[in-house]
Amino acid sequence: MNPNIDLNPGEIKLTFNEPTTGRTTFKELGLVPESVDLQSGMLRLVFDFDNIPNADWFKVPTIEVSYQEEVTETHWQCDFNGETILDKYDHHGHATVLLLNKKRIQDLMQRHENKLIVHAEFPQSVHLDCEGSFVNLFK
């Protein structure tokens, strides 16, 4: 089932009511290229898992974000329930792969609020490739 989508300038919020299993593209999640043009070069992806507190996480939860432009250094930060679980720089290309620590996520899981927030700072405006971007979060 597709998550509920809330779009704001520079922010995409996906509220999941059940886990998506396997590799799921942004397009399959309901995102279209017209809705994810990042004119400011800033991206904030909010994955709201409040409705699935007993998630069975994939061995290495993965998010891959593809974009049409070739970009230089991009800063990525992932926070789960307010704790930074990944902070990295990607140095060149058309895509970034974020490999998340399953154990750390499980340790931070709460009964009522479970949000994964992905921040990206691009050096220029970018257009996300919704067919090439995907998440693989749950078994």
Side-chain angles (χ1 to χ4, degrees), residues 39-102:
Q39 297 300 323
S40 68
M42 305 293 275
L43 171 64
R44 179 179 157 98
L45 279 171
V46 179
F47 296 92
D48 185 338
F49 305 120
D50 292 354
N51 298 327
I52 45 175
N54 298 318
D56 191 9
W57 294 91
F58 185 65
K59 185 177 183 180
V60 179
T62 305
I63 300 170
E64 180 169 327
V65 181
S66 297
Y67 23 92
Q68 296 173 2
E69 295 78 9
E70 177 95 12
V71 297
T72 58
E73 188 171 80
T74 305
H75 181 230
W76 293 86
Q77 180 177 324
C78 299
D79 300 323
F80 191 83
N81 288 342
E83 295 285 328
T84 300
I85 60 171
L86 180 73
D87 192 348
K88 74 175 241 171
Y89 285 90
D90 189 21
H91 295 289
H92 195 67
H94 288 279
T96 297
V97 177
L98 305 171
L99 303 174
L100 306 176
N101 184 321
K102 174 183 173 179

Side-chain angles (χ1 to χ4, degrees), residues 5 7 12 26-27 29-37 128 130:
I5 300 171
L7 297 171
I12 301 165
F26 282 20
K27 182 179 179 182
L29 292 173
L31 296 174
V32 293
E34 298 77 31
S35 65
V36 289
D37 287 349
L128 294 188
C130 293

